[in-house]
């Protein structure tokens, strides 16, 4: 996160906040963060980003919802896409008098952020949602059920700072949901796993412990798993339009086209996100260790501390695969994501070097221009004499 965006020199308003901000999760933590912002400049008000449309936003302040954009200064200082506001962010905004529009000047520091690599060839980070307490990882109990996808989402959620909860949706289509629950619990020790069916109103009571006042929850997963249906079910009304999947291959359509936040009757705040064909990983410091803690524990027992788990003697990982205590496909997915993250780190480092070099060239060019201007000024002074 660009520190200059967080240390904006504007003056936030400090009056008591009304219930609308509190309904969207404003609490004592954010009040403390607000007080840390330096004084000076135009009055700003705290707001939460509730919807995002490229670089256009919809925010909520105590005065209600407003359309918003970032300032030119904010955009200029942003190093990458992840520095821009995302759904769930708390921001400082300047409402425009007489208009239902505002300008965003700064972000309050994020408590958590689920990110992925931006789709396509460009090496940049995309924030899926920020300041989350829980992430509901949804996977349908139909042909789309995939343990490897769940592992990938678990890695991203653990890295985000939020807590993962796996929801196995469309339980009404499955003859033995308990079997699939056990499979997920086997790859996600300690992570809550629930089977639900919005169609049959099944499993809702088990989600009550997460749907608490002021808690922010993102619903994520592939297209067709029933994210928008789940949101409508939990909200007791149709918040999002839904479409049927192709039953032949369980493929879904992108009903949700942007990220948007809703407040449920319980007071929980839910973020609906567009379905993702694939979650491209960005980086992972702790996510890999947490998601694949069993492999880490096995690796610690290998004879050689730098064991690659390929042909080495005394490899505890190879032995676990041989005796069936570690699934070969789980280890293969671990190696695949490890390789993907290493590749991404190299590409990011290359981009950072190139960006730094370009910045140095701009500074150097500006310095030369300044020296030429100074020399010309001195020459002009000499001519005058």
């Amino acid at each position: 996160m660009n520190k200059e965006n967080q240390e904006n020199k504007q003056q936030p308003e400090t009056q008591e906040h009304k219930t609308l901000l509190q309904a969207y999760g404003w609490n004592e933590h954010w009040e403390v963060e607000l007080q840390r912002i330096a004084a000076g400049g135009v009055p700003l008000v705290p707001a939460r980003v509730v919807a995002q449309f490229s670089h256009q936003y919809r925010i909520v302040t105590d005065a209600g919802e407003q359309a918003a954009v970032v300032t030119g200064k904010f955009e200029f200082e942003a190093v990458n896409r992840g520095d821009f506001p995302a759904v769930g962010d708390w921001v400082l905004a300047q409402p425009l008098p007489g208009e239902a529009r505002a300008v965003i000047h700064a972000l309050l520091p994020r408590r958590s952020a689920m990110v992925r690599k931006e789709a396509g060839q460009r090496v940049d980070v995309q924030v899926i949602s920020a300041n989350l307490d829980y992430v509901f990882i949804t996977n349908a109990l139909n042909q789309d059920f995939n343990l490897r996808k769940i592992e990938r989402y678990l890695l991203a959620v653990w890295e985000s700072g939020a807590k993962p909860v796996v929801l196995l949706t469309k339980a009404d289509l499955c003859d033995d949901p308990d079997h699939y629950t056990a499979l997920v619990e086997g790859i996600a020790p300690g992570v809550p796993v629930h089977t639900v069916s919005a169609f049959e109103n099944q499993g809702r009571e088990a989600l009550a412990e997460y749907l608490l006042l002021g808690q922010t929850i993102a619903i994520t997963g592939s297209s067709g798993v029933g994210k928008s249906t789940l949101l409508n079910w939990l909200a007791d009304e149709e918040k999002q339009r839904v479409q049927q999947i192709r039953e032949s291959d369980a493929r879904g359509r992108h009903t949700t086209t942007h990220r948007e936040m809703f407040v449920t009757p319980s007071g929980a705040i839910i973020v609906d996100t567009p379905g993702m064909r694939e979650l491209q990983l960005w980086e992972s410091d702790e996510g890999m260790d947490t998601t694949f803690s069993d492999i880490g524990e096995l690796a610690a027992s290998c004879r050689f501390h730098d064991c690659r788990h390929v042909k080495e003697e005394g490899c505890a990982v190879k032995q676990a695969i041989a005796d069936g205590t570690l699934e070969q496909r789980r280890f293969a997915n671990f190696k695949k994501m490890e390789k993907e993250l290493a590749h991404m780190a190299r590409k990011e480092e290359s981009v950072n070097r190139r960006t730094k070099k370009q910045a140095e060239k701009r500074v150097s060019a500006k310095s030369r221009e300044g020296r030429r201007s100074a020399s010309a000024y001195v020459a002009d002074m000499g001519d005058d004499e």
Side-chain angles (χ1 to χ4, degrees):
M1 181 59 54
N2 187 350
K3 291 183 179 180
E4 290 185 86
N5 285 339
Q6 295 177 3
E7 298 173 357
N8 190 282
K9 302 299 183 182
Q10 307 296 323
Q11 171 64 60
E13 292 190 356
T14 57
Q15 72 267 25
E16 181 180 355
H17 304 300
K18 301 176 183 177
T19 56
L20 187 55
L21 271 185
Q22 293 171 353
Y24 278 89
W26 185 265
N27 56 32
E28 185 176 344
H29 168 84
W30 299 113
E31 191 69 48
V32 170
E33 292 296 331
L34 179 66
Q35 302 307 318
R36 291 177 179 172
I37 304 297
V42 299
L44 302 176
V45 297
R48 196 165 199 188
V49 179
V50 297
Q52 180 182 357
F53 313 88
S54 185
H55 288 324
Q56 302 287 325
Y57 307 93
R58 191 162 74 244
I59 63 173
V60 166
T61 70
D62 276 338
E65 289 194 4
Q66 296 177 320
V69 295
V70 299
T71 65
K73 181 175 183 289
F74 190 114
E75 187 167 1
F76 177 78
E77 293 178 345
V79 174
N80 56 45
R81 188 173 175 181
D83 289 332
F84 284 89
V87 172
D89 268 322
W90 287 100
V91 300
L92 294 179
Q94 177 187 7
L96 300 179
E99 302 183 46
R101 297 190 302 123
V103 180
I104 297 171
H105 286 253
L107 290 181
L108 271 62
R110 292 167 176 154
R111 300 184 72 175
S112 63
M114 187 174 176
V115 304
R116 68 168 180 173
K117 176 192 170 296
E118 187 178 59
Q121 297 301 312
R122 183 179 177 183
V123 182
D124 205 347
V125 61
Q126 180 183 37
V127 180
I128 298 171
S129 191
N131 299 315
L132 304 169
D133 296 294
Y134 295 98
V135 176
F136 285 174
I137 301 170
T138 56
N139 202 263
L141 290 174
N142 57 16
Q143 292 169 269
D144 194 49
F145 180 80
N146 190 318
L147 289 174
R148 308 290 78 89
K149 280 185 181 180
I150 294 173
E151 286 171 343
R152 182 171 284 264
Y153 277 95
L154 282 169
L155 190 156
V157 176
W158 280 126
E159 189 65 25
S160 75
K163 297 176 183 177
V165 178
V166 178
L167 299 188
L168 301 180
T169 61
K170 304 187 179 182
D172 53 289
L173 302 180
C174 181
D175 294 330
D176 189 7
D178 290 342
H179 168 70
Y180 292 95
T181 299
L183 290 178
V184 176
E185 289 175 341
I187 65 158
V191 176
V193 183
H194 303 286
T195 57
V196 299
S197 170
F199 181 72
E200 293 190 349
N201 196 30
Q202 173 188 334
R204 185 169 181 166
E205 63 284 350
L207 305 183
E209 62 180 291
Y210 315 111
L211 301 172
L212 302 178
L213 179 68
Q215 296 287 292
T216 302
I217 304 162
I219 302 176
T220 189
S222 303
S223 299
V225 298
K227 297 187 301 299
S228 294
T229 299
L230 181 67
L231 169 63
N232 293 340
W233 179 50
L234 296 176
D236 284 328
E237 62 177 295
E238 187 171 344
K239 296 285 190 181
Q240 293 285 64
R241 185 171 61 88
V242 299
Q243 295 187 52
Q244 296 298 313
I245 66 169
R246 296 198 306 266
E247 295 298 342
S248 60
D249 59 5
R251 290 287 185 175
R253 302 180 181 91
H254 291 280
T255 304
T256 301
T257 57
H258 61 276
R259 296 166 186 84
E260 189 165 3
M261 177 180 286
F262 303 92
V263 179
T264 66
S266 68
I269 304 127
I270 295 183
V271 180
D272 192 19
T273 64
M276 290 179 277
R277 294 298 185 198
E278 183 179 6
L279 175 65
Q280 296 189 63
L281 302 177
W282 177 248
E283 59 184 19
S284 177
D285 295 325
E286 300 179 3
M288 283 288 285
D289 292 340
T290 306
T291 304
F292 295 101
S293 59
D294 55 338
I295 296 177
E297 290 171 4
L298 287 169
S301 300
C302 290
R303 180 182 298 176
F304 305 106
H305 74 277
D306 58 349
C307 183
R308 295 176 299 162
H309 322 304
V310 181
K311 296 180 179 179
E312 295 87 348
E313 293 294 328
C315 175
V317 173
K318 285 169 53 183
Q319 183 58 46
I321 293 173
D323 63 28
T325 55
L326 174 62
E327 186 185 10
Q328 172 63 45
R329 285 178 293 182
R330 175 168 170 79
F331 179 66
N333 199 38
F334 164 78
K335 295 298 290 184
K336 176 185 177 183
M337 288 195 277
E338 188 178 55
K339 184 177 180 180
E340 182 181 335
L341 286 164
H343 177 65
M344 181 54 59
R346 290 193 297 272
K347 290 180 71 174
E348 185 182 3
E349 184 178 353
S350 176
V351 169
N352 289 340
R353 285 199 303 267
R354 188 162 59 249
T355 301
K356 182 180 180 181
K357 197 170 184 178
Q358 290 171 346
E360 289 173 348
K361 284 183 177 179
R362 287 196 297 269
V363 171
S364 178
K366 192 171 183 179
S367 177
R368 288 195 300 270
E369 183 181 346
R371 287 196 297 270
R372 284 196 299 268
S373 297
S375 298
Y377 175 77
V378 171
D380 287 345
M381 291 294 291
D383 291 344
D384 289 344
E385 291 175 359

